[in-house]
Amino acid sequence: MTKPEIKDGSIFFTDSITESSTNLEKDFFRSLEYWQVKDKTTVKERDAYFAISTAIRHKLIKNWLRTQSEYRRNKAKRVYYLSMEFLMGRVLGNTLINLGSYNEASDIIERLGYKLEELRDLEPDMGLGNGGLGRLAACFLDSMATIGIPAYGYGIRYEYGIFKQGIQNGYQVEVPDNWLKYGCPWEICRPELEYRVKFGGKVITEKREDGTDRYKWVDTEDVIALAYDVPIPGYKNSTVNNLRLWQARSTNEFDFHYFNSGDYMAAVNDKNVSENISKVLYPNDNMHEGKILRLKQQYFFVSATLQDIIKHYKKNHGKTFDDFADKVAIQLNDTHPSIAIPELMRILIDDEGIEWNTAWEITKKTFAYTNHTVLPEAVEKWDVEIMGPLLPRQLQIIYEINRRFVNEARDFKGFDMRRIKDVSIFEESGHKFVRMANLAIIGSHSVNGVSALHTEILKNDIFRDFHELFPGKINNKTNGITPRRWLKKANPFLAGIITAKIGDAWVKDLYELKKLEPLANDPAFHKIWNDAKSCAKEQLKVYVKKEMGFDINVDMMFDVQVKRMHEYKRQLLNVLHAITLYNRIKKNPSGDFVPRTKIFGGKAAPGYYVSKQIIKLINSVSKIVNNDPEVNKLLNVFFFPNYSVSMAEKVIPASELSEQISTAGFEASGTGNMKFMLNGALTVGTLDGANVEMLEEVGNDNIFIFGLKAAEVKDMKLSGYNPRAIYESDAELKEVLDLIRTDHFNKDEPGIFSHLFNDLVTYGDNYMLLADYRSYVNTQDKVDEVYRKRSEWTRMSILNTARSGKFSSDRTIREYVEDIWGVKPVNVNFE
């Protein structure tokens, strides 16, 4: 990097400010000098990154303050989006695009001798999330600000993200994700905004003057929740909403008694124990202590959030709660924040003196719940022996909610004991557990799935009895993605040619992409479309070489599966296809094969042994395939470590084939599938999650669908699925699996994959890989046929982008607004 030019002998940045300098340029130079304390001889790249980020944040401040003032002036109903995760990625690029300041910032940075794209790469992904649930929350924040919805996100300011994923000898290793190492220029600490959060203690009963019981939660161990705010700007409007994150602090920072007696560790013990609550995203809950910490995290952010919401409500609408549900909409992003239901009841009854029935009506009208899973093991439940000592009053309230609900189900709905057992908040199987999904359903006025198929599974299977009890409560809101980040920012090559042809209205109305359809058969447009894809592939090649040391061949088809590692997502099925291709090439090296690069990426939970073994298998296959001169000109396999939002923004635009191959009936929706579709990748997938609706939008001729449907998966399991019979009868499959069984890819570590083989062949193949193998491989052969016909492939690619309008998070948010929240946009355009 070149050093800034020193003119007129001055080393000070503020001496470069002239009458013609823009406000952003002035603020940038002042930030370098007054905030970063640098001159032209000492400035570094990271200083420039912090300075431009600080200058941009300053540009947001007035509209940030004005937006909140306008919401108060309008006495607007507000949406509060509660989520344990916000997978924000990097903030700088998206903020510049939403403000329309990208080119101006780039010019300022270049005059300093740097490149904006390189400074953006210095920014760490915010370590506030892990998977699709968190990324959805981030897309929703962007859409709510763009539409002008009075909305606030609430979560935890984790000091460490889930982990940084490294690969050693093919195995995943986890190292701390210290994303706050250099600080975060986007957040503003609010030291004046603290709330006390209680744990433990006991509940005592006192008599009120009218003879009724009053419950008091006493002798508690308290923690302070400190607020940090992050601005969320809408796209080219004046709305700036707020993401508020809570950090845990001790009520007793330092104990002089212990310190003076020489016990220095004990002197700071309270501080360390308290601050563990916001230390790391998703502590390992395979152990008892991890479970306690996880529940503490959930209650910590819920308690602080409700105190904050009620403070705002009283300030703007008075001290009575008569209008609370008309002014407050709280959306629970999965069950993690559902402890908010008994907590609001506690506040209304114990602190505000409201009688039960009134409090319950307010609570139900306030909350709505989004379900994100149909996996039984992922449906959250808490042992009462953990919840009771930690949250004694909340558990009392849950017992009373359940007692009244069970009586209603039995007396007014005629439910027998078997069905009552299914819908009860409490599961009694040895230990007694609190089923948080049941609590969320009972305590909310709306329960939504996140794709049409997922919602039908909720209604007809998982929550069938609740659907009968509360007809109409379960509804669908198919997920979406923000086109600002996932096309305009992530893929400027493609975004540019689209805008040149149809204008830029698509950025706020994704259905505008329909205007591309007439161009799907235009040879001239095919050329520039393919040029955009080539540019993205070249960009990925440079990035991968720099960050990972891999050499990827841009002349191969990029066949990509990047997502959280889980057995139901079936990365292992993709590996079986890779080995199938390997075998075919070895048998006929001069055969007519379509050259492919298979790209995998995703993190496995630290305690998830099988998923970590699949990562090891991918890397073992990669080592053999990529070093075999007979094979590597036709097939490469790579595992990209530490997959993240920022990596996705480079991988997805370069992808040509998107692998969405989960077992039908297991994926709630998916949003990665939508991102690939928007960027012109073709999908090979099952009829699972939102793939079903993608098929409806793009048409059967423009997507590669294979495998069993959800109902067929269920029927096959019930009728006695026999994977060994498939293994014995399909010679090609048997050859593939036998290579795994006989340690072909792991000669130095014999037997390490025997568990994977046995899971598939001997122990039931729970996710039906062998049942779908033949259909999958045959469909991949069809993919090759179409890829050879470049014009046909390009036509399908264009139509995928053109017909992706439904999958904008703007559309999803409008449906929440109209059907669930009942809020109205507020116009805060001040210019």
Side-chain angles (χ1 to χ4, degrees), residues 13 138 219 273 321 345 369 438 452 487 535 596 653 782 784:
F13 286 109
D219 299 337
V273 170
F321 283 77
M345 287 292 289
Y369 157 54
N438 289 20
L487 183 51
C535 287
R596 281 193 194 223
K782 293 177 184 175
D784 284 350

Side-chain angles (χ1 to χ4, degrees), residues 269-367:
N269 183 64
D270 284 350
K271 174 181 171 66
N272 292 336
V273 170
S274 297
E275 295 181 359
N276 278 340
I277 291 174
S278 57
K279 187 68 72 175
V280 65
L281 169 65
Y282 293 156
N284 189 343
D285 59 3
N286 288 339
M287 59 189 76
H288 183 74
E289 292 77 7
K291 289 182 171 67
I292 292 174
L293 182 53
R294 182 82 171 264
L295 182 56
K296 274 189 171 183
Q297 286 185 332
Q298 294 180 3
Y299 179 72
F300 165 77
F301 108 84
V302 157
S303 172
T305 297
L306 286 177
Q307 291 180 68
D308 199 42
I309 290 170
I310 289 170
K311 177 184 175 181
H312 280 294
Y313 170 80
K314 287 183 173 181
K315 182 177 180 180
N316 296 314
H317 307 292
K319 293 186 177 181
T320 75
F321 283 77
D322 296 347
D323 297 325
F324 190 77
D326 294 324
K327 295 298 181 180
V328 173
I330 300 177
Q331 189 70 38
L332 305 175
N333 192 26
D334 216 348
T335 55
H336 310 128
S338 58
I339 194 68
I341 292 169
E343 175 62 6
L344 180 58
M345 287 292 289
R346 186 196 65 78
I347 293 170
L348 295 177
I349 295 169
D350 297 355
D351 297 348
E352 302 295 336
I354 298 172
E355 62 89 25
W356 180 281
N357 289 335
T358 301
W360 185 236
E361 285 305 308
I362 292 171
T363 297
K364 286 193 298 182
K365 290 177 181 177
T366 299
F367 285 106

Side-chain angles (χ1 to χ4, degrees), residues 389-449:
L390 199 62
L391 303 170
R393 179 60 178 140
Q394 290 76 7
L395 184 58
Q396 283 184 347
I397 290 170
I398 294 170
Y399 272 118
E400 181 62 14
I401 292 171
N402 193 60
R403 185 187 69 80
R404 292 172 181 241
F405 166 71
V406 166
N407 287 343
E408 180 183 351
R410 182 183 61 240
D411 298 342
F412 297 102
K413 301 293 184 179
F415 271 36
D416 59 23
M417 288 306 298
R418 182 194 63 78
R419 300 181 78 188
I420 285 174
K421 183 179 178 182
D422 289 341
V423 297
S424 170
I425 295 172
F426 292 94
E427 173 188 307
E428 304 195 37
S429 53
H431 280 293
K432 182 179 284 189
F433 292 91
V434 180
R435 295 189 282 206
M436 303 307 283
N438 289 20
L439 174 63
I441 294 169
I442 294 165
S444 300
H445 68 90
S446 169
V447 177
N448 72 277

Side-chain angles (χ1 to χ4, degrees), residues 112-131:
L112 197 64
Y114 301 124
K115 291 185 178 179
L116 180 57
E117 290 73 17
E118 293 173 353
L119 296 190
R120 281 172 46 195
D121 285 342
L122 293 176
E123 180 179 9
D125 285 37
M126 296 180 81
L128 304 174
N130 177 37

Side-chain angles (χ1 to χ4, degrees), residues 32-83:
L32 277 172
E33 197 163 307
Y34 301 145
W35 287 73
Q36 301 307 119
V37 196
K38 294 298 175 74
D39 61 33
K40 294 177 183 178
T41 68
T42 60
V43 67
K44 306 290 185 187
E45 282 182 280
R46 195 173 302 278
D47 302 317
Y49 158 70
F50 270 91
I52 194 64
S53 298
T54 303
I56 289 296
R57 193 189 74 186
H58 289 170
K59 188 173 181 178
L60 292 172
I61 294 295
K62 279 191 177 179
N63 282 349
W64 199 4
L65 294 171
R66 285 169 168 170
T67 298
Q68 307 312 311
S69 176
E70 197 68 13
Y71 291 165
R72 290 192 296 270
R73 190 182 70 80
N74 279 270
K75 294 190 178 296
K77 183 176 184 178
R78 305 184 185 199
V79 175
Y80 300 98
Y81 197 86
L82 275 60
S83 180

